[in-house]
Each structure stands twice: as structure tokens, then as C-alpha cells.
Amino acid sequence: MNKLVHTLRLAGVAAIAAAGVHAASAQALKLAHITPPTHVWHQVSEKIAADLDAATGGKMKVAVSPLQKLGNEAQVVNLMQAGAVQFSVFTVGGLANREESLLGWSLPYVFKDVAHAARAAQAPAAREMLKRLETSGLVGLGYTFAGMRHVLSLQPVTAAKDLANKKVRAFPSPVYNDWWLANGAAPTAMPLSEVAPSLTTKLLDAVDIDLDALVGLKFYQQAPNLTLTNHMAFPGVIAVSKKWWDARTDAERETIRKVVADAEKWGVQVAVDAEASNLKKAQADGAKVVAFDAASFQAVAAPVRDKYVGRNALIADFYKQVKDL
């Protein structure tokens, strides 16, 4: 009898230990991104986490970490290659040094609005870009979108000439650099955390930004003038660690793909709606919309586009497939 009790106790301990391991593994999944919690990418990330939890009965729980809390994008790529971080939303620019064709998303004046860019995400060339990320230890599952890119400045920008020799905080990407240089500005790479003080001290004159980030970070408190140039789209790539993905079952992969596809579709509508609501929020909070000469910016777009279309075949295919969607 005592032996039976002892055996049952051991079995109970083993069951508890197994449950503990299961709970720990369920809590271990991480999703990293660089945007503030108000941003649409964070909302998409939270939806992925909630839907994956529900779809797997709690077996896959994802903790979302915004604002580079797990590291900058290069560091997160390294963590994902090791399997230490399982999910991320990356800027296309941040991944372009690993897959050059992603620069095609940043060609100036290709997309009319967020909805146009979202349609482009289904183009064969856009899906090929995701597939090519596997050589970098990532599995690209989809795209998510922020608002279009605009200019926020200390002084009103009414035409491209107003940016001559002005320092513009721009995303660190070859396309962004070429774009702002073509407009006579000086593109300046800088972490978002340093933008507000740099505007206050006038180390920066302007910021290239989407309305999601603008409302979340309130840079119009330092630079009130908003010029709605609408010059680029700003997609993110939803990716998972290939090391972690390869260890999943076919059924688990299918579940993850469905959850991400649903979040991708949901996020598009959120981004479209946010473009209008964020503008109202920014204006109500002090941003001043500036009337400007759009043609002065559009005039320099073609040479920048031609440079990248001419040097990468997949970018050329992407441009042909999406420009008239």
C-alpha cells in the first residue's frame, strides 16, 4: 500500500513538473517591434498574440514587446536566428540590408494611399520578397502597414526648396537617403528617442514620419508644421524565427499562417481608418497642416525610382505589378 502511495506521489510530482514545463514553454514566446503601443503595428501584434492563444487553446502564448525593448532590429534578427525570439514585426527598410528587393516598398510616389500599398502586398513579387528572407534565418509570413510618410518641421515646408540644406530625420535606408538628397535636404539617421530633444535644440529641422508614430510620440509639440507629402508607404514584415518554425508541426504552422493572415487583413483596415483619425488627433493636439506644392516633390521621384528599378530585377517586377493597382 505504501509503495502504491509512493508511486502515485511520484506520478503526481511528474505531472506537476510536466505541467510546469508546458506552462513555461507556453509563456516563452516573444514578439518584438520598434513602434510605440499606440501604433497600428502594436495592435496587429497584440491581435496575433490573442488569436494564437485562442487558436491553440493556450499552448502558444506570445508576449509583445514594443519600442525596441528586446533590442534594435539588427539585434532582434540575431535573436531570431538563434530561436530566442520567435516573432517580430520589422520595418522593410530594416530588413533590406539582408534582402535588397525590400527597398522596392520605399520607392517614392508609387502608392497613392495605404489601401493601394496593402493591395500590393498580395503581388507575386511582394510574396517572393518574403520567401527570400529564409536565407537570413527568418520566415516572412505577411505584411502590416502604417500610415503614409509625411514631413513634420520646425518651419513650414511649402515646397521641396524649403528643405534645402535642412537636417531631416530619416529612416536609415539607401532609398530614404537618395530621396531626401534629391530634394536638397540632409538626411540624418537618429533613434526615435532622440528626435524630440533634437528638434527642441534645433539639431534637427524636420522629421520624415507616419501619422501613427507622430500621434504616439507627439513630435508636433516640438515641431508643429505638418506637410502631408504622402511620399512613401511604410510597411512592416511579420516574420518568425526559421529555427523555431522548422521545429513546429505542419498543423502548428498552418494555424500560425492563418492567424497572421487574419491579422494582416484586419491591420489593413485599422491602418486605413487610422490615417484619417490620426490626422484629426494631431491637429486637435496642435499640429498645423501646411499647404504645399506637391509637384515640387513629385518632380524628383522618377530618377530615384529608376535607380532602384534598374539595379534589382525583383524590384523592377514589383514596380510593374503594383504601380497601377
Side-chain angles (χ1 to χ4, degrees):
M1 183 66 178
N2 288 338
K3 185 175 181 181
L4 176 60
V5 171
H6 180 67
T7 301
L8 289 173
R9 283 176 179 170
L10 287 176
V13 170
I16 291 169
V21 170
H22 174 77
S25 64
Q27 295 293 338
L29 303 181
K30 299 174 184 177
L31 190 160
H33 65 79
I34 68 169
T35 59
T38 54
H39 198 275
V40 62
W41 290 3
H42 185 74
Q43 296 175 49
V44 169
S45 299
E46 291 281 13
K47 180 171 175 59
I48 290 172
D51 290 357
L52 198 55
D53 185 13
T56 63
K59 292 179 181 178
M60 289 190 188
K61 291 186 179 294
V62 180
V64 178
S65 297
L67 284 171
Q68 299 190 114
K69 289 181 180 178
L70 297 183
N72 61 34
E73 291 194 318
Q75 291 168 330
V76 170
V77 169
N78 290 337
L79 290 170
M80 291 180 76
Q81 288 172 336
V85 171
Q86 294 75 33
F87 294 79
S88 186
V89 177
F90 292 104
T91 60
V92 291
L95 291 180
N97 61 339
R98 297 174 182 275
E99 176 46 51
E100 185 187 53
S101 63
L102 287 165
L103 292 173
W105 281 103
S106 300
L107 298 180
Y109 289 105
V110 171
F111 302 108
K112 296 175 183 177
D113 51 29
V114 174
H116 181 184
R119 291 193 293 275
Q122 303 306 318
R127 293 291 148 173
E128 175 63 22
M129 293 174 188
L130 296 180
K131 186 177 179 182
R132 291 187 180 186
L133 290 172
E134 292 193 17
T135 59
S136 295
L138 305 172
V139 177
L141 295 182
Y143 293 96
T144 185
F145 294 85
M148 300 294 285
R149 307 299 291 184
H150 307 292
V151 179
L152 186 77
S153 56
L154 295 174
Q155 300 299 321
V157 173
T158 62
K161 63 180 177 58
D162 293 337
L163 285 169
N165 301 315
K166 301 292 187 182
K167 288 186 178 179
V168 179
R169 189 276 175 181
F171 192 88
S173 162
V175 178
Y176 279 80
N177 287 343
D178 287 344
W179 166 246
W180 287 115
L181 288 170
N183 281 287
T188 304
M190 180 182 294
L192 284 173
S193 59
E194 296 179 17
V195 170
S198 296
L199 288 169
T200 299
T201 57
K202 298 185 179 180
L203 290 175
L204 278 180
D205 299 293
V207 184
D208 178 322
I209 197 165
D210 64 82
L211 296 179
D212 294 289
L214 177 61
V215 168
L217 298 168
K218 299 183 183 296
F219 291 149
Y220 42 72
Q221 293 177 349
Q222 292 82 33
N225 300 290
L226 178 60
T227 305
L228 298 170
T229 49
N230 212 53
H231 54 274
M232 290 177 186
F234 197 68
V237 169
I238 303 169
V240 296
S241 159
K242 188 175 187 302
K243 182 175 182 178
W244 178 78
W245 179 260
D246 287 346
R248 308 277 65 79
T249 66
D250 289 343
E252 286 174 329
R253 291 190 199 117
E254 183 59 31
T255 297
I256 296 165
R257 285 192 184 279
K258 184 180 185 306
V259 164
V260 170
D262 288 346
E264 182 178 13
K265 183 178 179 180
W266 178 86
V268 168
Q269 191 57 54
V270 172
V272 169
D273 293 343
E275 193 78 334
S277 63
N278 281 329
L279 179 57
K280 290 180 181 178
K281 289 176 186 176
Q283 287 180 287
D285 208 19
K288 302 174 184 176
V289 175
V290 177
F292 72 106
D293 176 16
S296 67
F297 287 96
Q298 294 166 351
V300 298
V304 176
R305 290 197 303 265
D306 291 347
K307 174 180 177 178
Y308 290 90
V309 167
R311 84 181 197 187
N312 184 292
L314 188 52
I315 291 178
D317 288 344
F318 179 67
Y319 179 59
K320 290 174 186 174
Q321 290 170 16
V322 307
K323 63 187 178 67
D324 296 321
L325 284 176

